[in-house]
Amino acid sequence: MRIHYKVRYAYLSLLTLPLLAYAPALAAAVAISQGYHANQSIAAGTLVASGNQSNTIVVADASHQSSLLGVVVTSNSSSLATTSTFAQTQVVTSGTVQAYVTDLNGVIKTGDPITISPIKGVGMKATNAGTIVGMAAGNTSHGAGSPVTVRSSDGSLHHATVQSIPISVSTEVYNPFLGGKVLGSVQNFVDTIANRPVSLARLVMSSLVLLFAALAVTIVLYTGIHNAFISIGRNPLAKYVINRALIKTIVGAIVIVGSSLGFAYLILVA
């Protein structure tokens, strides 16, 4: 009874794994928007930044990189929307939505960080440290989109296109040099497994699930094996019953490992 009691107590940790896994996955699966006031009509897919006054937005340009907020959507495009009396423009601050981007800074591929471009309201691939609006969840198509011409600060002209692709919105500070090759390799590995760009929050949550599962497995195995040895020493005739309980302990540990891997994968792909 002592073995079964302690092992069953350790199994309770398995019940908390779905809570760790489903909470961030469900939160990231929906597009969450908030209503803001704008002094002009802004088209859906436009990148916007925080205005000078509270609860106001402006169409983002290069000068608004540090105050990037999100992407404008139509009122019925988000899964969860909040609004106020004076707010008439919905801005997605978390979730995946269509947004305007340009290949001015290079072709955009899934997983590329997106920041504001010199074109107002249009994003581009981020190659330098700074605030990004999120990660590309799709690729730009060669030869597609609307052609544009941009004049740089030195007066030279650059030809590019503007297209609409899905973006996983999550405004954060991006540093291409942070973490070095090791962190970059881990990110690429996780992106390959999920077949999509994985945010840092998802990566951390999946790691916590695996860490929690490893701790639970350690407790289960240690408790089961330790008590089995003690029980056999006290009552050698109960060896068959004790071995059967030990096998159940090992099976339970395997179930915890398999379940945690499944939940961690769910966080990455949901």
Side-chain angles (χ1 to χ4, degrees):
M1 294 300 295
R2 181 181 181 185
I3 296 177
H4 290 292
Y5 175 76
K6 290 191 175 182
V7 171
R8 188 179 299 114
Y9 178 77
Y11 285 165
L12 292 177
S13 61
L14 179 62
L15 299 178
T16 64
L17 289 176
L19 299 178
L20 289 175
Y22 281 104
L26 293 176
V30 299
I32 302 175
S33 69
Q34 182 175 345
Y36 290 89
H37 177 72
N39 58 8
Q40 65 183 96
S41 178
I42 304 177
T46 302
L47 274 63
V48 293
S50 300
N52 294 328
Q53 299 180 352
S54 176
N55 203 44
T56 63
I57 55 172
V58 295
V59 177
D61 58 28
S63 65
H64 298 119
Q65 185 185 37
S66 61
S67 58
L68 283 173
L69 183 63
V71 180
V72 172
V73 294
T74 56
S75 58
N76 58 350
S77 295
S78 58
S79 303
L80 178 62
T82 60
T83 187
S84 63
T85 306
F86 303 101
Q88 80 274 22
T89 304
Q90 288 290 322
V91 178
V92 166
T93 55
S94 176
T96 302
V97 294
Q98 291 290 128
Y100 290 115
V101 296
T102 177
D103 54 5
L104 183 65
N105 208 26
V107 175
I108 297 176
K109 298 180 180 179
T110 300
D112 285 341
I114 303 299
T115 188
I116 189 63
S117 74
I119 307 173
K120 294 190 65 173
V122 178
M124 69 176 183
K125 179 179 179 179
T127 55
N128 298 318
T131 303
I132 61 174
V133 73
M135 310 293 283
N139 306 327
T140 53
S141 302
H142 179 70
S146 304
V148 293
T149 301
V150 179
R151 185 182 298 275
S152 62
S153 57
D154 60 4
S156 59
L157 298 178
H158 301 273
H159 301 284
T161 61
V162 173
Q163 304 179 32
S164 177
I165 66 170
I167 289 181
S168 179
V169 180
S170 179
T171 304
E172 58 188 58
V173 177
Y174 168 73
N175 188 339
F177 307 106
L178 185 62
K181 294 183 178 180
V182 175
L183 184 57
S185 299
V186 172
Q187 184 69 55
N188 291 335
F189 175 73
V190 173
D191 290 347
T192 301
I193 293 178
N195 195 29
R196 56 168 291 173
V198 177
S199 66
L200 180 60
R202 286 174 177 266
L203 182 58
V204 170
M205 287 303 301
S206 62
S207 299
L208 288 176
V209 169
L210 295 178
L211 181 63
F212 185 83
L215 179 61
V217 168
T218 301
I219 295 174
V220 168
L221 291 179
Y222 175 80
T223 303
I225 296 174
H226 180 265
N227 289 337
F229 276 111
I230 293 178
S231 299
I232 291 176
R234 292 177 176 176
N235 185 10
L237 297 179
K239 182 178 180 180
Y240 173 76
V241 176
I242 295 172
N243 286 341
R244 186 173 60 181
L246 186 58
I247 292 175
K248 291 182 178 180
T249 300
I250 296 174
V251 171
I254 294 175
V255 171
I256 293 177
V257 172
S259 300
S260 63
L261 289 175
F263 291 138
Y265 181 74
L266 176 64
I267 293 176
L268 298 179
V269 301

